[in-house]
Amino acid sequence: MGAGPEALSGDVGVVAYVDSSALVRPYLSDEDGHVAMRKRLETGAESFVSSPLTNVELTAAVNAASRHGRVADPHATIEKLLAYQRGFVLLIGLDGD
């Protein structure tokens, strides 16, 4: 479920909360701002945190996009998306650990 808040100790600069809509955007090319959001995540200029519930919401969003013909292979997209976000987003436990 990601690291706890202690992983943000020290000088981390800007910390931004991102929700599932921001994290799924780089994988849905028909979404406004998909390129800009991917670049923002990848620059390393900010640290990002989110809720562990994000993984469930990401899966639901990709499956919904697939039902509407926006994603050809939802399973592959979900796997890529979850691996991708693990590299950029710290999931903070709901109970603080």
Side-chain angles (χ1 to χ4, degrees):
M1 275 227 207
E6 67 280 355
L8 289 176
S9 63
D11 184 19
V12 295
V14 175
V15 177
Y17 175 84
V18 289
D19 65 9
S20 56
S21 67
L23 292 172
V24 78
R25 187 167 290 139
Y27 280 85
L28 299 177
S29 62
D30 60 341
E31 286 282 324
D32 289 338
H34 75 277
V35 172
M37 190 61 205
R38 175 169 256 163
K39 287 180 182 177
R40 185 175 175 194
L41 288 169
E42 292 176 348
T43 64
E46 302 168 271
S47 297
F48 295 95
V49 297
S50 197
S51 160
L53 296 175
T54 298
N55 290 342
V56 174
E57 293 170 344
L58 291 173
T59 301
V62 171
N63 282 321
S66 175
R67 285 191 300 275
H68 291 94
R70 298 171 60 203
V71 174
D73 186 347
H75 299 293
T77 302
I78 290 166
E79 287 300 315
K80 281 190 230 176
L81 200 153
L82 294 177
Y84 177 79
Q85 67 94 15
R86 278 192 288 273
F88 298 101
V89 180
L90 175 66
L91 299 182
I92 302 294
L94 298 175
D95 60 0
D97 44 288

